[in-house]
Structures are given as C-alpha cells and as structure tokens.
Amino acid sequence: MTDYCFPRHVRLLNAGDYQSVFNDTSSKVFAGEFLLLARKRDDDQARLGLIVSKKTDKRAVGRNRIKRLVRDSFRHHKIPLSGLDIVFLARQGIKELENADLHKRLDKAWDQLAKKAQKPAQNKKRDQTRQK
C-alpha cells in the first residue's frame, strides 16, 4: 500500500536544500501560474519545497490553500518523482485558480517533470549501448 503522508524526510527543510536546487537545476516545468524546479538526488526519495510569497496572495488563508493543494497533489505523485528534489514556485495569478483547475494543472506538471527527469537516464543508456 502506498504512503500518502508528508513527513519531514520528504520536505526541503533548510535554505541549503533550496539553494542546491536553484544552483543545480536539472529539469524545469513552467505552467503559467507556477514553476517547478527539480534536481537529481543520489537516493530514490522525492522531496518537495514550497515557495508561496505574499506577492502571490496577501492573505495567509490563500497562501495556505495553495500550499495545501500542492502538498496533496505531490503525495499522490511521489512514486514517479522519486530521486528528485523539487521546488514549487507560485506566481502571480495562482490565487484566481479554482481548486479543481489547480489540481489538474499540477497533475499535468508532475507528469511532465517525471518525463523530463527520466530523459537523461534513457539517453545515457543509449550512449552506452552504442559504445559497445
């Protein structure tokens, strides 16, 4: 049975974790109202960090709604995203999205990110088979 919780070991907790993703980004997905940045990890754990500033929504209720929806969506997509540190950056206009619309866009973005993260591994395998 899959685990849909969000414990400490699946979160980016300190500034160094976030900075490593910003400095060494391997995949990006831009979805209009938000941006996903990802970095490869050595293990198979997926971790998520959230950045939702006061510029995106002045009210804490709105910022917390966005974070709650992103965390919920991430919980359901942890398995295909394994081996990545991910930073979610909220942008202007995200507060106008309905919950269902945001959830659909997140589902599509997680899928795109998983595909982009797998591409370099597939290319390396092809290169190794060509060299033989």
Side-chain angles (χ1 to χ4, degrees):
M1 191 164 146
T2 57
D3 185 22
Y4 292 121
C5 59
F6 195 67
R8 286 180 65 87
H9 68 272
V10 298
R11 297 184 226 162
L12 298 178
L13 296 174
N14 55 36
D17 293 340
Y18 283 89
Q19 197 62 45
S20 67
V21 175
F22 288 124
N23 291 339
D24 188 28
T25 300
S26 61
S27 304
K28 294 180 186 181
V29 174
F30 181 69
E33 289 81 13
F34 61 89
L35 175 67
L36 295 175
L37 303 172
R39 171 187 165 275
K40 293 266 188 198
R41 292 176 48 93
D42 294 332
D43 60 0
D44 63 344
Q45 183 68 45
R47 298 192 309 169
L48 176 69
L50 302 168
I51 299 175
V52 183
S53 68
K54 284 186 180 180
K55 283 185 179 181
T56 57
D57 195 346
K58 292 196 185 305
R59 298 175 58 219
V61 173
R63 294 192 303 273
N64 291 338
R65 176 187 71 92
I66 293 165
K67 289 189 272 189
R68 188 174 53 248
L69 288 169
V70 174
R71 282 192 302 262
D72 182 52
S73 179
F74 174 76
R75 283 184 210 126
H76 294 290
H77 291 87
K78 271 196 295 195
I79 294 168
L81 297 170
S82 62
L84 294 175
D85 279 348
I86 302 165
V87 172
F88 172 88
L89 281 153
R91 301 245 173 177
Q92 291 286 334
I94 196 168
K95 71 179 184 178
E96 282 84 22
L97 287 177
E98 297 290 326
N99 290 356
D101 293 335
L102 181 57
H103 210 72
K104 286 178 189 175
R105 288 187 187 200
L106 283 167
D107 289 344
K108 187 176 177 183
W110 297 131
D111 292 339
Q112 287 177 351
L113 190 61
K115 286 179 187 175
K116 283 185 178 183
Q118 289 176 353
K119 277 189 177 181
Q122 291 173 350
N123 291 339
K124 286 180 186 176
K125 288 180 185 177
R126 286 183 199 148
D127 292 339
Q128 289 173 355
T129 56
R130 287 181 186 168
Q131 290 175 355
K132 292 178 183 178

